[in-house]
Amino acid sequence: MPRESHLETTIGKSLVNTIAEAKVLMVGAGGIGCELLKNLVMSGFKNIEVIDLDTIDLSNLNRQFLFQKQHIKRSKAHIARTSALAFNPNVNIVSRHQNIKDQEFTVDWFKGFDLVMNALDNLDARRHVNKMCLAANVPLIESGTAGYLGQVTAIQKDKTECFDCQPKETPKTFPVCTIRSTPSTPIHCIVWAKSYLFGLLFGNAEDDDDELLAKEESNDDETAKELAALAAESQALKEILASSDSEGFAKRVFDKVYHTDIQRLRSMEDMWKTRKAPTPLKYDEVINQVDDSTTTMDTTPVEGSTLKDQRVWTLQETAQTFTDSLKSLTVRLKELRTSDPEASVHFDKDDAETLDFVTATANLRAYVYGIEQKSRFQVKAMAGNIIPAIATTNAIIAGMMVMLAFKILNKRLEDCKTSYLVYGRHRPQLIVSEPLAKPNPKCYICRNSYISLKIDTDTSTVQDLINLLEENSLTDVEIQESGRVIYDPDFDDNASKTLSSLQLTDGKFVEVLDEEDRKIIIYLKHADSSSLGKSYDIEGDIEEALEQQSIIKQQRKEADEAATAHEHAEESDVVMTDSNKKRKYDEVTPSGSEGSLKKTTLDATAHPPDGDGVGDGTSRVQAVDVDEVIVVDGETFDVINLD
């Protein structure tokens, strides 16, 4: 029996054929990504491309089931591909151990896919993929999990809300999978210091695992070498730990972690092709500095304070704090183990010595990688909010992503919904859904018009760009790129400079604002002038884009007027009653962003007290006029003035 027979019976042969022909890009091969890739290969998808910059860490193995111990330190994307093919060898999977933000992944490259599926764990990459999919007009399925909570939604240009339509708060919690073998943010360094180094030195961490790995058999020479290196690192640290009572213990730990291990990472040349390699540190050189003016960290106080807790320490101060806290915690651990050989010291953000150690080791690692350092006060806030990822949550969200993919490929976007996993609330439903929201007219990402421009960025100047814009009805323009002003009528210093000299090269987005405040996003494509045959080539209709921006500008104006009217009506408290059943529901206040109603539509689910939806009853709403009708999920409610 063909393996697709049950699938054909379930969703139909036509859709099975569509799925088999579709080309899907999967961004991220971590917690959600492993579950998602398995689902895709088992659901009839035949052409999948997966990209992930990360490598496999020991802490990933409890939930990222495509990986095993022998895969540690290897590419997540490559290993995920190999493991997934074991489920279905008839699938074409292309794996890339790269950053999705690399310049080679252009808008044209995104246009080569029928569907993009995000399985990412950071806002920056999500925003980038969102923007590229909008520019390429390719549907995107966005997902995310945090502990037992999860969310999945679909994004389509001009039809649905995009990832940036609603403001995103700075995350207060961080999943463990943000710890990278190549850290790029302060939180990566803090998690490494708290969850890895602290546990290894003062806890019962899984420090025997690397040694066990070396004993496992491997037919792969590269894997065997990596396992042997891990075993050697583990043994070296154990020898240092065994001599904790001897002189120079802090120096040996410091040099092992910040010099020997860093030197080994630097030897992996492929890892540093597109990023700056870390800089090793030696204990003696740091602790004995006389003039550290060239090697101090940023000592700018937090909010103007001069307290030591609220300023970033100098490199020498950090090394000294490392030495002092390491000595104190080692003594504490020895005392604990006199009565209990298995005792350990646990991190507590309110424990001065443990916080000192995590702050010092995190900032030393940040210094090595050229990352912004944080004050002790800031580290305390960040280290107290680290949460793990849950395998079951990832599995549920990945399953819902595939269901959305079926609907999108079957041209049924109107049937897609935003779904939330809301485990732990006082309600019977595990999953609640709401209709996809319309684009926010105030969004300056999805409500932009995108135009591609082929131009020789090496020879063309900013003035040349201005001239061609004027030829296409864009006058008195302001030009920006990533927040920096390139040109405006009062700032023409860059007019004679070439685009490439201003880093306006292939793959860059340039924002152009005309005298009527209409914004066009121009996507630059470098093309040699000799091959281009003319000075430039525009892909798209600028006149049409300007007309669209005029409409969007009017929509923004109307949205502002509606918001003002809504504010004026806030004195009139109203509740909803069922027009047919003529019964009055009790008022409750919607929780957070989950309760939000608009006339004849539903922004975020709110329902009667029978338990449907997100709210625990009817949401308390404000109405512009009384005695109007609101429709919620097909049910009609009267709006009645409480006065």
Side-chain angles (χ1 to χ4, degrees), residues 29-55:
I32 297 177
C34 282
E35 296 285 350
L36 179 58
L37 186 58
K38 176 262 297 180
N39 289 348
L40 292 175
V41 300
M42 296 295 286
S43 301
F45 289 85
K46 301 291 187 182
N47 300 287
I48 306 168
E49 195 152 337
V50 56
I51 180 170
D52 196 304
L53 177 65
D54 205 3
T55 55

Side-chain angles (χ1 to χ4, degrees), residues 146-157:
Y148 292 103
L149 305 179
Q151 178 179 344
V152 59
T153 191
I155 296 171
Q156 177 71 66
K157 180 173 172 56

Side-chain angles (χ1 to χ4, degrees), residues 236-250 252-253 330:
L237 190 53
K238 286 181 179 179
E239 291 174 359
I240 294 172
L241 291 173
S243 63
S244 60
D245 291 333
S246 62
E247 188 69 20
F249 174 59
R252 290 192 293 276
V253 173
T330 301

